[in-house]
Amino acid sequence: MEIAAEQRPESSEFSSAALLETVSDAEVNSRISFEEFTDERILISHDAFGNKQMKIKVLEVSDEIPPVKWKFGDRVKVTKILVTIKHLATQEVEEGEFDIESIERELQEKRHYTSTNRWIPATDIKNGYVVGSKHTRLISDASALDYIVF
């Protein structure tokens, strides 16, 4: 499939505003292209027992330039997220906003280490949400401090 010259992006850089934009925020056309379609299932992760589902929305990203772009590709550093957890047995929904940067600093002070990797590939952010395979890397410090029990 060939893209017309006027439709090609100027560079391979991703703008943080475009990554955080959701479908409801964007102009909604009557038809959506195959490349723009996102299956809801890839945005959801499950706990070990299959009792809960989690979805993470990116609220804020850092303007920091990623080191070693040639090796890891385009990545963004996530600073704030909105975590939505749904209990499947009761259909109860919990939401919480987390400042990952401050949680990371708190864990470094209290326990002298951190396990969070806040650099997420730009292609793993779909419609403002992080794909399920990257959830653990974003909430690991919050789980260690018992802010999230999942």
Side-chain angles (χ1 to χ4, degrees), residues 14-124:
F14 289 92
S15 71
S16 61
L19 289 173
L20 302 179
E21 187 176 277
T22 62
V23 173
S24 61
D25 295 340
E27 252 184 63
V28 179
N29 296 329
S30 60
R31 302 195 118 200
I32 187 166
S33 70
F34 181 76
E35 291 82 19
E36 294 172 342
F37 176 75
T38 302
D39 188 5
E40 187 76 14
R41 293 176 290 186
I42 67 167
L43 303 177
I44 296 173
S45 62
H46 300 274
D47 70 336
F49 301 110
N51 298 329
K52 300 176 187 175
Q53 291 180 340
M54 179 170 43
K55 196 171 178 181
I56 297 179
K57 180 175 175 75
V58 178
L59 298 178
E60 188 177 302
V61 294
S62 172
D63 57 353
E64 194 173 328
I65 298 171
V68 203
K69 180 180 174 183
W70 60 270
K71 186 174 183 180
F72 299 113
D74 286 324
R75 298 179 300 156
V76 293
K77 191 171 188 179
V78 178
T79 55
K80 287 188 181 182
I81 58 173
L82 177 70
V83 177
T84 305
I85 297 176
K86 180 179 181 181
H87 299 270
L88 298 176
T90 61
Q91 297 300 313
E92 179 186 347
V93 176
E94 298 178 60
E95 280 191 342
E97 186 176 320
F98 294 95
D99 184 356
I100 301 175
E101 194 169 15
S102 66
I103 291 173
E104 184 177 17
R105 274 185 267 136
E106 181 181 345
L107 191 64
Q108 285 174 341
E109 290 171 6
K110 288 184 176 179
R111 306 220 178 127
H112 305 293
Y113 82 97
T114 182
S115 58
T116 296
N117 182 359
R118 297 185 291 131
W119 288 100
I120 301 292
T123 56
D124 287 342

Side-chain angles (χ1 to χ4, degrees), residues 4-21:
E6 62 272 2
Q7 292 178 348
R8 286 192 183 127
E10 294 297 320
S11 69
S12 64
E13 296 288 323
F14 289 92
S15 71
S16 61
L19 289 173
L20 302 179
E21 187 176 277

